[in-house]
């Protein structure tokens, strides 16, 4: 009805093909990227002025000078707790202050003492705690090497690509000079400027019809890192790319600039909706990470090298690297801000996760229900539509927890409102869902319709909280509602006000079971450069250029805060975001944006979510079925099967696509989808436990194989299968017409059990698994215990009190262990009042026992242990249960064909101590 | 297994009102409800018999052992409803959620009994109206069966009445359909006859005209003909004037009301009119042109009533004043008129054949919808459904979009006339052409009741019509009546 108007707008703006590359800049079209990338690989012009070195307990400062223009920089070095080094470089005396990213670090990282080992004219050597770990600083040219014993772990400026465009007055306005600021650098600067003036795009840049006025002139920064002995690097999402990053010598660097990319292409370094400037390096000996804390447009070049080519200077006194050893060089460059880098030294993958989590926080612990299945579509048209879809799930006996409303539910894309004709009684609708113990998510985007009849707009305007344009007026762009303002979410006052809008009395029609989705928060500006905000727009005292990649994080932060506040701080929030930055994991879930109903998009959902998991964002998913275009039944079924084993499990579809609720493709496909969703629900206890761990430790829920098998080189490039936690290996079928998949089962001396047939397979092999349409190849690691709830109900909440079935998969040594985690599933009481159950389940010496992992927590559950399956077991003569109340024997049956021992009804409470003995 | 599925009961969430035909078996269940009420005192209401229908109680009598209903296993009776699934068919846990394939019997005294999936037992949602599915005491479920029963019976009664009324109307519509059909058949025959007559005449005329033209050209050179078909138009105007009820045909009464004797203004007799119209039965424009119109033009016997003539507007020339200017012109005008008449007749025959070749249901009960349109306003859009023709959507701004042209009946095999499919409407932007699916629902009026667009550019409409009322609902009515 009214939609074709909207669709018309969308399509007119974006066309209908795959990505229109001309809408987005190449490195050549981004003037600083071009400048930086064409910089020669000569000797670095920077030298450390050792006389300026100051070393306090945990901080070293030192001036660097660019011998070409005599501009001085200030280097700060910190040794951080947990085996990290922080490196900051700023101008010693910048003309104006340069932007330093706030609100991303959870706090000022705690430091550790830094001591000098030696010092001479060539440089200094600092100890990073142990004798083996040292930091070697070479003065001329400036370079840093982190060494462990005789091994160089990482070099900074090894290729001399440190660059720092100092702020300078505009030439045509440079009539009166600030004498103080110019004192030391004046002459050189003049000289420098002469050279630099030649570079186009420094003071103004045009892309398509958009002019970037660049009033502050050039301000970009760059630094290179060399990783000797490293051939595999990962991370820096978001890109539609393999897990292992490729070298970028032959094309553009990987770009980090949050953009609303229409119909993105696969295997491409183009920027997408979110950016996490964290890169992980890995080899069989060590995993490390580089966190480049900068929110401006950033590019990352990756090249393969040999170690000997870049090793020079003082470090040669300390360490040697075989000159032909492989090396990966990584170079970062950003348009503005300062250099602020965290070098996470591992050495294990889990150490890097812990280190990064200590800086930016961990995955928020989501409400249990949000790990269930989400049914979304642009759009469910009205309340009756919602009711009918809800009823459809019951009729077809498919569980789901959330139904979603996209932009059409609002009154003319005025967020926080409802379309009066189609959603006249939102509370009735929400109550209807609540009666089924289900929930809803409604979209709230950050662009605000400019309409004097719209309360939200009026208040933001009158509070003067909109982003400003370069001339000081309210910035206006074009988005779903037409002309829209963009709240300045970088302003704490704006965020506080926004959060307050989620109060039940402010957000009319909202209820406890209504949660929020933040889309378009890159921010998307249909008529802006690269479909986003002009870089010279103003956020308080900063340019949009400085804060761009942070905008989306702030939107989600404020929204999550609003959902917490509306419940008086009791309930955990759920907010899905499309744009993100380092730290976004603290605020909710992320999805991979507007994908398409194509096999390639199904396949790439795995590496895209794996990459996000590596940099802290565990709650990741792709639109099941594909957003654009129309999936055939086979693709849809395979996507459900894949999505059921990915963290955020939501089906979504474009407005123009035909309906695709799970029961619309014939009974056979409905049954296949039902089965996939049911597998998800059975496994929810395990998912929840994994998220609890992610929340506590920062370890990814969905992880690449190499994270658990760091020494197995064969795992380093695998991205068509993955692990959930340590215990489950999943290889979804992502090829059309597949007859089988080749699954790599890692682990010398380990065994894996097919999760469906319980057949046992040896580790350290490529196993061909024949598949049918119903197959989802999943394997449980021998040595693990996984709790499931096999009584599948209409929603996860309905399963709250249901009993557990424990799947004990024995290792070749006849042992296994696992955990069980239980809390109320939705409040912060697990944290604030320690109301949870966390138990260890151990199988050894023919006995399975449950013991408390958290003595000071308390929670009572109605759930009990219904059944125990011991995979790879033997037939006992008797099975006895021992509890505090005494012993009794249990019924059991043993299937010799599969070696599965099923123990009936221990019946013990899931929160109690118990032992089951096999005799 | 077979035993267990013997009695077909509806799911609890199926309401009798909207699910259509209610099987007789269900009606029987009302009696069982009563029986249960009487017999339940005999049984001890324990956990063991929870979730079991009366018919199955015999399998769950307290004994030492229990045989799974599929015969696959014998278990101690203690294990019936002990919240652990032992039987493959789920029959040992009729009252708990332990078996994935189990089902729970809601007695629902006062309403109708039904089965729910065992996964709905103790899940915090009240499914049985008697609340028996939530027996773990965590959720309080009020007993709503009595109310529901009353409501449903009232609704059923109302529906039955509506269906009765609908059936009555439907029978009338069928009757009307029969005569309409006959009429159209007759019309077609008449038209075909006229067509062949016309063709013969036209041949002759053409021949004459050719001769006349040849003669005229020879004598006078080529003269431009002033003939402009005005005769046809005037004929149509007068026809329209006479056609009081505007049904496109003239009856004897209508002619009597508008045409009088030339000499004495006397009203015409029925026989005279029949003669003037060239035969009995109503005459359409074409027949009028061929018959009465000629008489009027010739102005020999009859004329238009004086008071009507004034309405014809200028130029107010009676047929009598239009003297034939010349033989050639007269011939030419006649030829032209005849060609037009032929075209009109052909088109009419085509239309009629198309109309007659359409499927209007087993008793042509939907024939009456032919040629009608039904409107519904939804927000800023006006939807118009013209059965057997087309569907449109008009926005408040005035733009009209085709939502499809009539294709075929699209109902399932057992109810082929329950849905109409309209296809090939205006294409969506970058998408397929719009389509509309119309579902026909039994109602006492014919009206467009609902329009939805669940998927963009795929419309679903609901049309109420007595013709969709089904005879078999009678069975249900008997059931309800006997229940009351």
């Amino acid at each position: 009805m009214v939609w074709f108007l909207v669709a018309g707008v969308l399509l007119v703006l974006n066309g209908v093909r795959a990505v229109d590359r001309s809408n987005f800049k190449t490195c050549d079209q981004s003037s600083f990227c071009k400048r930086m990338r064409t910089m020669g690989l000569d000797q670095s012009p920077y030298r450390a002025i050792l006389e300026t070195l100051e070393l306090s307990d945990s901080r070293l400062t030192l001036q660097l000078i660019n011998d070409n223009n005599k501009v001085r920089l200030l280097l700060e070095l910190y040794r951080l707790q947990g085996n990290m080094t922080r490196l900051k470089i700023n101008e010693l005396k910048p003309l104006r202050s340069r932007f330093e990213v706030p609100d991303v670090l959870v706090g000022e990282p705690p430091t550790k003492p830094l001591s000098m080992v030696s010092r001479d004219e060539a440089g200094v050597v600092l100890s990073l705690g142990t004798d083996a770990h040292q930091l070697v600083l070479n003065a001329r040219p400036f370079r840093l090497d982190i060494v462990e014993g005789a091994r160089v772990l990482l070099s900074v400026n090894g290729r001399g690509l440190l660059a720092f465009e100092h702020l300078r007055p505009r030439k045509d306005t440079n009539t009166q000079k600030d004498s103080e600021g110019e004192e030391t650098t004046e002459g050189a600067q003049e000289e420098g400027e002469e050279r630099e003036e030649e570079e186009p795009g420094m003071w103004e840049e045009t892309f398509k019809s958009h002019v970037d006025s660049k009033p502050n002139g050039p301000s970009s920064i760059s630094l290179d890192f060399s990783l000797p002995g490293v051939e595999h690097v990962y991370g820096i999402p978001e890109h539609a790319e393999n897990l292992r990053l490729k070298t970028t010598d032959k094309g553009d660097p990987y770009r980090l600039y949050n953009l609303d990319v229409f119909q993105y292409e696969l295997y491409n370094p183009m920027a997408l909706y979110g950016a996490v400037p964290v890169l992980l390096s890995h080899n069989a000996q060590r995993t490390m990470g580089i966190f480049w804390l900068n929110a401006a447009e950033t590019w990352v070049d990756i090249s393969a090298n040999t170690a000997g080519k870049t090793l020079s200077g003082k470090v040669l006194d300390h360490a040697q690297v075989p000159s032909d050893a492989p090396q990966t060089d990584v170079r970062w460059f950003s348009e503005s801000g300062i250099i602020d880098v965290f070098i996470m030294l591992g050495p294990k993958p889990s150490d890097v996760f812990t280190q990064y989590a200590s800086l930016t926080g961990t995955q928020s612990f989501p409400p249990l229900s949000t790990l269930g299945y989400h049914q979304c579509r642009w759009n469910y048209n009205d309340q009756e539509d919602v009711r009918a879809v809800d009823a459809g799930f019951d009729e077809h006996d498919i569980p789901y927890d959330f139904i979603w409303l996209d932009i059409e539910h609002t009154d003319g894309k005025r967020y926080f409102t409802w379309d009066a004709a189609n959603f006249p009684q939102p509370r009735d609708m929400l109550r209807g869902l609540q009666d089924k113990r289900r929930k809803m998510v409604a979209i709230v985007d950050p662009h605000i319709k400019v309409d004097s009849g719209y309360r939200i707009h009026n208040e933001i305007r009158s509070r003067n909280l909109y982003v400003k344009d370069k001339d000081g007026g309210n910035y206006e762009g074009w988005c779903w509602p037409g002309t829209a303002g963009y709240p300045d979410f970088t302003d704490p006052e704006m965020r506080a006000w926004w959060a307050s809008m989620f109060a039940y009395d402010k957000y009319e029609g909202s209820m406890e079971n209504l949660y929020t989705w933040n889309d378009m928060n890159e921010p998307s500006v249909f008529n802006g450069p690269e479909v986003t905000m002009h870089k010279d727009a103003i956020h308080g005292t900063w340019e949009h250029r400085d804060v761009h990649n942070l905008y989306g994080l702030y939107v989600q932060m404020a929204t999550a805060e609003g959902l917490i506040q509306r419940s008086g701080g009791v309930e955990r929030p759920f907010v899905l975001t499309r744009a993100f930055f380092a730290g976004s994991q603290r605020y909710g879930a992320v999805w991979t944006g507007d994908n398409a109903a194509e096999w390639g998009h199904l396949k790439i959902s795995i590496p895209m979510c794996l990459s996000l998991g590596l940099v802290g964002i565990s709650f990741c998913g792709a639109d099941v079925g594909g957003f654009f275009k129309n999936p055939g039944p086979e693709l849809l079924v395979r996507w459900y099967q894949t999505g059921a084993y990915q963290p955020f499990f939501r089906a979504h579809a474009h407005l123009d696509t035909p309906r695709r609720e799970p029961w619309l493709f014939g009974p056979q496909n409905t049954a296949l989808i039902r089965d996939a969703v049911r597998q998800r629900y059975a496994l929810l206890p395990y998912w929840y436990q994994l998220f609890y761990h992610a929340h506590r430790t920062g370890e990814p829920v969905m992880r690449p194989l190499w994270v658990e098998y760091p020494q197995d080189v064969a795992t380093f490039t695998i991205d068509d299968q993955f692990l959930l936690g340590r215990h489950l290996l999943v290889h979804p079928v992502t090829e059309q017409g597949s007859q089988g998949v080749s699954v790599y089962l890692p682990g010398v001396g380990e065994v894996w059990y097919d999760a469906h047939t319980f057949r046992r397979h040896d580790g350290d092999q490529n196993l061909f698994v024949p598949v049918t349409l119903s197959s989802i190849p999943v394997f449980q690691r021998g040595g693990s215990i996984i709790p499931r709830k096999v009584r599948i109900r209409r929603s996860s909440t309905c399963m709250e009190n249901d009993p557990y079935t424990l799947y004990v998969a024995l290792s070749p040594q006849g042992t296994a262990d696992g955990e069980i985690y239980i809390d109320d599933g939705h409040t912060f009481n697990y944290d604030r009042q320690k109301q949870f159950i966390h138990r260890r389940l151990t199988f050894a010496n023919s006995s399975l026992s449950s013991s408390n992992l958290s003595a000071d927590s308390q929670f009572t559950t109605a759930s009990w242990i219904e059944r125990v399956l011991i995979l790879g077991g033997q037939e006992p003569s008797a099975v006895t249960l021992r509890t505090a109340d005494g012993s009794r024997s249990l019924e059991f049956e043993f299937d010799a064909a599969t070696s599965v021992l099923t123990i009936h009804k221990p019946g013990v409470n899931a929160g109690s101590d118990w032992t089951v003995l096999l005799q | 297994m077979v035993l267990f599925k013997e009695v077909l009961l509806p799911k609890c969430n199926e309401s009798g009102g909207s699910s259509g035909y209610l099987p007789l078996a269900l009606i029987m269940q009302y009696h069982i409800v009563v029986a249960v009420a009487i017999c339940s005192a005999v049984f001890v209401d324990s956990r063991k018999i929870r979730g079991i229908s009366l018919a199955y109680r015999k399998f769950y009598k307290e004994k030492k052992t229990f045989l799974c209903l599929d015969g696959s296993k014998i278990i101690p009776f203690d294990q019936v409803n002990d919240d652990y699934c032992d039987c493959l068919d789920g029959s040992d846990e009729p009252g708990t959620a332990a078996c994935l394939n189990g089902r729970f019997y809601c007695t629902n005294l006062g309403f109708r009994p039904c089965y729910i999936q065992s996964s709905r037992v103790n899940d915090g949602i009240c499914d049985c109206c008697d609340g028996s599915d939530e027996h773990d005491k965590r959720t309080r479920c009020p007993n709503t069966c009595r109310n529901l029963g009353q409501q449903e019976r009232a609704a059923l009664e109302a529906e039955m009445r509506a269906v009765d009324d609908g059936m009555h109307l439907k029978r009338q519509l069928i009757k009307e359909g029969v005569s309409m059909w006959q009429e159209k058949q007759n019309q077609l025959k008449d038209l075909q006859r006229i067509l062949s007559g016309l063709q013969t005449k036209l041949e002759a005329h053409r021949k004459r005209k050719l001769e006349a033209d040849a003669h005229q050209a020879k004598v006078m050179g080529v003269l431009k003909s002033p003939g402009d078909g005005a005769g046809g138009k005037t004929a149509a105007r007068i026809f329209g004037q006479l056609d009081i009820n505007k049904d496109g045909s003239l009856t004897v009464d209508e002619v009597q009301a508008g045409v009088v004797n030339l000499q004495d203004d006397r009203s015409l007799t029925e026989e005279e009119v029949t003669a003037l119209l060239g035969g009995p039965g109503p005459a359409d424009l074409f027949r009028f042109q061929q018959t009465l119109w000629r008489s009027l033009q010739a102005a020999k016997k009859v004329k238009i009533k004086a008071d009507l003539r004034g309405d014809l507007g200028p130029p107010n020339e009676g047929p009598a004043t239009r003297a034939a200017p010349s033989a050639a012109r007269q011939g030419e005008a006649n030829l032209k008129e005849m060609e037009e008449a032929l075209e009109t007749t052909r088109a009419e025959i085509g239309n009629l054949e198309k109309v007659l070749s359409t499927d209007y249901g087993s008793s042509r009960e939907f024939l009456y919808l032919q040629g009608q349109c039904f409107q519904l306003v939804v927000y800023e859009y006006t939807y118009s459904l013209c059965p057997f023709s087309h569907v449109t959507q008009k926005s408040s701004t005035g733009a009209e979009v085709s939502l499809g042209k009539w294709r075929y009946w699209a109902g399932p095999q057992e109810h082929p006339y329950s849905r109409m499919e309209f296809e090939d409407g205006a294409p969506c932007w970058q998408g397929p052409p719009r389509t509309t699916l119309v579902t026909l629902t039994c109602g006492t009026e014919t009206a467009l009741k609902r329009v939805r667009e669940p998927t963009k550019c795929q419309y679903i409409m609901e049309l109420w019509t007595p013709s969709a009322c089904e005879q078999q609902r009678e069975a249900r009515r008997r059931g309800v009546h006997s229940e009351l």
Side-chain angles (χ1 to χ4, degrees), chain A residues 1 656 659 793-794 891 905, chain B residues 82 121 123 453-455:
Chain A
M1 308 222 271
D656 287 338
R659 287 287 181 134
R793 307 206 192 232
R794 276 171 282 192
E891 252 194 68
K905 212 183 178 189
Chain B
D82 71 338
V121 174
D123 67 348
E453 191 188 3
T455 291

Side-chain angles (χ1 to χ4, degrees), chain A residues 307-320:
Chain A
K309 287 192 181 162
T310 59
L311 213 57
S312 67
K314 194 171 168 57
V315 70
L316 293 173
D317 307 342
H318 293 260
Q320 290 298 332

Side-chain angles (χ1 to χ4, degrees), chain A residues 254-267:
Chain A
Y254 287 103
R255 190 181 187 206
L256 295 171
Y257 192 58
N258 295 355
L259 291 174
D260 178 3
V261 181
F262 184 84
Q263 297 198 345
Y264 57 79
E265 277 178 30
L266 308 185
Y267 307 105

